Amino acid sequence: MTRIVAGSVGGRSIAVPAKGTRPTSDRVREAIFSRLEHLDVLDGARVLDLYAGSGALGLEAASRGAVSVILVDSARPAADVARRNVAALGLAGVRVTTETAERYAAGLAARAAGPAASAVPAGTAASAGPAGAGGAAGLDLVFLDPPYDLGEDELAAVLTHLAAPGVLADGAVVVVERSTRTPEPAWPDGLAPFARKDYGETAVYYAEPADTEPTNNEPTDAAPADGAAPSGDTPPSDSVGA
């Protein structure tokens, strides 16, 4: 069972897709959000949850004070489950988009670039209203929990779009979940990692816009922290999403 850990709908259970997803465990999610609370990026945040699966990460953010949350998943069954979760929880400001992460992120970069966005097909982030791009000031928080078998070049392309000027707000945080058996993401110019925490087979990376003051000066390490689950609580690494 997956549940919202804390906030306005804390303790409520949410549905997960029958197959094809790899939900972040409650304990790992709790550890991630403990850090985000410490970084003070949740209250009033504009959030993007890519490879969203059930939407657990984005819904947790909404429960804890985010004002705008976009859940993006290319699998229609997962997106349908996310929509049902949004409706069941009654959280305002959350919407679901059935789209690939790369296409959606490319739309954000095009929209942030201005007139060039007009070349992006309708239905992408570039053609959406202000909520589709996190508002004029950019996104405050982005989650990426792609399938572990996603190619590193594909992940790097998504990160490159997110690092485009205007996509992220000053002080934004990007959270990437990967297998500890995969390489560290190839960070593009414009994104700088500032921490890594390992929880069993899951590695969680934190990055920020490179032209802002450092959000956190912790050294990168692989030790479980923040009340995280031991390796036995980490879900299998054979599928997708939160």
Side-chain angles (χ1 to χ4, degrees):
M1 180 181 71
T2 297
R3 65 183 180 86
I4 302 299
V5 177
S8 63
V9 292
R12 296 276 299 276
S13 297
I14 60 173
V16 298
K19 59 182 180 179
T21 61
R22 175 182 42 78
T24 302
S25 74
D26 290 351
R27 288 191 181 183
V28 173
R29 204 155 16 95
E30 186 172 10
I32 291 171
F33 279 88
S34 176
R35 179 181 292 273
L36 294 175
E37 294 274 11
H38 174 72
L39 296 174
D40 195 26
V41 296
L42 289 171
D43 190 32
R46 293 151 298 193
V47 179
L48 175 63
D49 185 357
L50 296 173
Y51 313 96
S54 67
L57 290 169
L59 293 171
E60 185 78 41
S63 179
R64 295 177 184 242
V67 296
S68 172
V69 178
I70 311 298
L71 309 177
V72 179
D73 201 290
S74 61
R76 188 167 297 280
D80 288 344
V81 168
R83 288 187 180 95
R84 290 198 295 272
N85 285 333
V86 172
L89 294 175
L91 291 167
V94 183
R95 70 179 177 87
V96 182
T97 298
T98 307
E99 183 60 276
T100 67
E102 184 171 356
R103 182 177 170 87
Y104 194 89
L108 290 179
R111 185 173 184 271
S118 62
V120 179
T124 66
S127 63
L139 295 160
D140 301 299
L141 177 61
V142 181
F143 296 107
L144 299 93
D145 184 12
Y148 284 170
D149 60 359
L150 183 77
E152 298 307 310
D153 289 345
E154 295 169 90
L155 177 58
V158 176
L159 291 171
T160 297
H161 294 314
L162 294 175
V167 174
L168 299 175
D170 290 343
V173 176
V174 175
V175 181
V176 182
E177 291 190 48
R178 294 297 276 157
S179 167
T180 55
R181 294 171 290 183
T182 61
E184 179 172 351
W187 302 104
D189 291 343
L191 269 183
F194 63 85
R196 167 183 170 165
K197 294 293 181 182
D198 287 1
Y199 310 99
E201 293 185 359
T202 300
V204 181
Y205 298 90
Y206 299 84
E208 63 191 347
D211 57 353
T212 63
E213 291 298 316
T215 305
N216 189 303
N217 292 320
E218 293 183 47
T220 297
D221 62 62
D226 302 324
S231 59
D233 289 329
T234 303
S237 59
D238 57 358
S239 51
V240 190

